[in-house]
Each structure stands twice: as C-alpha cells, then as structure tokens.
Amino acid sequence: MAEPHGDTPAETEFPEVELAKSAIFLDFDGTLIDLADTPDGVDVPADLAGLLKGLNDATEGRLVVVTGRPIEAVDTFLGGYDGHVIGSHGAEERFEGNHTAHELAGSDTVARLGDMVEAFAATHEGLVPERKPTGVVLHFRQVPEQEPQVYSFLSALEQSHEGFELHHSKMAYELRPIGISKDDSIKRIMENERFAGRRPIFFGDDVTDEPALAWIAHQPDGIAAKVGSGETAANYRVHDPSGVRKILAGWIGE
Ligand SMILES: [Mg+2]
C-alpha cells in the first residue's frame, strides 16, 4: 500500500484491483466530471452511465455514487444508472432500490432558507443559489471576491436556524442539517453484509471528501484517491476526472 502523502503533483500508480472483491465509492462533480461555472453547466460524457453500470456489475452491486447533489440531479445526469447513491452529502440515500431521506428533507425550514438565499443572490450579481432537499448552497465561483459577503450572510442564517450547520466546499458555502457527512454514510454502508470485508475504494476531489479519504486510506488495502492538486489524506492521486474515467474503464477492461 502506498503511503499517504501531501501536496505532491505526481499521479500515483494504482495496484491491481479485483472488482468482485471490492466496493467502489465515487464522488461526482470534480471527480467523474469536470467542474463548471454553474451546477447545471456541467458536461457529462455520454458513456459515463454505461461505465458506472459496468462497474456496478463487476463489483456485484457494490458501486456507490457519493455526491453533494440531490439524487434527483444525479438521475438527470446519469440516466440509466439505477444503482446505489448517497445524495445531498448523506442526507438522502438510494440503497438497494430503497430511497430514504433525512427528517428535514422537504421541510418548511429548508424551503425558507432556500427563499432567503435566492433573494440574497438576486441582489448580488454572479452568485448562484442551489436548492437541495435538505439545505441550500450558494456558489461564488464567478465572483470569488464576494466570498466574505457570502460567508457572513450564511453564517447569520446558520446562527438563526437551529439544527443546521455551514460547510465550505469548492467556491461555495452550504447549509445542511447537523451530523450529515459522506464519510458517515460510507462507513455505514461498509458494514452492510454485501459490503463488509471488501476492499474499499473511494475517489474524491473536494475538502468535503477528505474525512472519507482519510478513513479509507487507513482500511486494509483501502484505495483513497484524491483527484486534482492540494493537500490530502489520500494514499493515491489522479490529476483530473478524465484520468479517473480512464482508470475505471481499465478496471472493467474497456
Ligand atoms: Mg466533488
């Protein structure tokens, strides 16, 4: 197993992987597809859903897409992929065909937060709000100089809405219910009898992926792959989403 490393640009060599003995967790934005200026502006390769289906078959149903997006959005981008999804950072889940969601999903509070963030964005050019079933995101990718205003506005909402907490991700801040995280969801799924004892593999690009990357890097034979540059607890690294897709396609012999 490779040693966890810091901010090295070098792409690391991946070990042989036996998919029938592995469980694969994949972040979506910035990992499987390139980031875009707006959440809707992403370019999804036409063969991505087929690639995921192939991986799901080869792992005997142990592929999980782990994303901050709502599951509904994943289905829009990946028509034809009907496997497991951890959505909204873990506030929603589709597992073995069953859809579950956090108790705050679709609540009046979430709707009100969405309204307030949209109103704020309407008076600040370049900010892009994104409603989620369990929270709301405010993207400042197009106007990075507005980060302080975005932060102070959402901090105020965090303080006035009990049960929600503020998270920083790439060029965005997000309000979501306390106690939700990708790593908690991944750990729970790894305890499922179908997953337990398999080699855990996770590809992620963002700070919100780091806790899961750190956990998987320390599992026996775990493969935690950081996508892109930057400090990481991962034990492998890939330069960009096209590199990730190439590795995954190689694993299923394409
Ligand atoms: Mg990502």
Side-chain angles (χ1 to χ4, degrees):
M1 181 173 116
E3 285 300 311
H5 53 79
D7 189 15
T8 54
E11 188 158 299
T12 32
E13 181 122 352
F14 279 70
E16 287 282 311
V17 166
E18 219 178 319
L19 291 179
K21 294 182 177 170
S22 303
I24 304 182
F25 299 86
L26 299 171
D27 171 52
F28 186 61
D29 293 271
T31 296
L32 287 173
I33 58 167
D34 290 318
L35 297 170
D37 281 346
T38 62
D40 292 336
V42 292
D43 190 12
V44 181
D47 55 358
L48 183 56
L51 172 62
L52 298 182
K53 249 171 138 77
L55 283 166
N56 197 36
D57 289 345
T59 55
E60 297 164 5
R62 286 185 300 272
L63 176 75
V64 186
V65 175
V66 190
T67 175
R69 290 193 190 253
I71 292 174
E72 204 182 3
V74 176
D75 287 342
T76 306
F77 292 121
L78 293 176
Y81 171 74
D82 59 1
H84 312 306
V85 182
I86 294 170
S88 303
H89 293 282
E92 284 185 282
E93 211 166 283
R94 181 172 69 211
F95 192 71
E96 304 192 325
N98 297 315
H99 192 147
T100 52
H102 189 277
E103 58 188 11
L104 284 168
S107 65
D108 291 349
T109 312
V110 168
R112 200 165 53 241
L113 284 169
D115 290 345
M116 287 188 283
V117 169
E118 278 186 357
F120 182 82
T123 58
H124 292 74
E125 211 182 320
L127 295 183
V128 178
E130 181 190 5
R131 285 175 181 266
K132 295 200 175 176
T134 48
V136 60
V137 190
L138 191 48
H139 299 267
F140 54 87
R141 181 170 296 276
Q142 296 170 55
V143 281
E145 70 280 6
Q146 290 204 30
E147 174 171 3
Q149 290 96 306
V150 170
Y151 177 78
S152 58
F153 176 67
L154 289 181
S155 289
L157 290 185
E158 179 194 27
Q159 274 153 34
S160 57
H161 290 77
E162 207 178 318
F164 286 82
E165 63 189 0
L166 188 59
H167 294 265
H168 187 196
S169 62
K170 278 187 183 164
M171 297 291 180
Y173 283 99
E174 172 163 2
L175 279 169
R176 60 174 187 259
I178 283 171
I180 282 171
S181 67
K182 288 180 173 180
D183 58 307
D184 282 341
S185 297
I186 290 173
K187 287 174 194 167
R188 191 165 28 74
I189 287 179
M190 280 306 295
E191 286 171 5
N192 177 282
E193 60 177 37
R194 189 207 285 254
F195 285 71
R198 310 296 167 150
R199 175 186 226 171
I201 299 171
F202 177 48
F203 289 75
D205 70 302
D206 204 347
V207 284
T208 57
D209 298 316
E210 281 299 321
L213 288 169
W215 184 71
I216 286 187
H218 290 95
Q219 300 306 299
D221 293 327
I223 296 177
K226 158 83 176 177
V227 183
S229 59
E231 188 93 20
T232 184
N235 51 358
Y236 294 88
R237 189 186 296 270
V238 189
H239 286 321
D240 55 28
S242 76
V244 174
R245 296 194 300 268
K246 208 169 126 199
I247 289 166
L248 297 174
W251 285 350
I252 55 170
E254 283 184 356

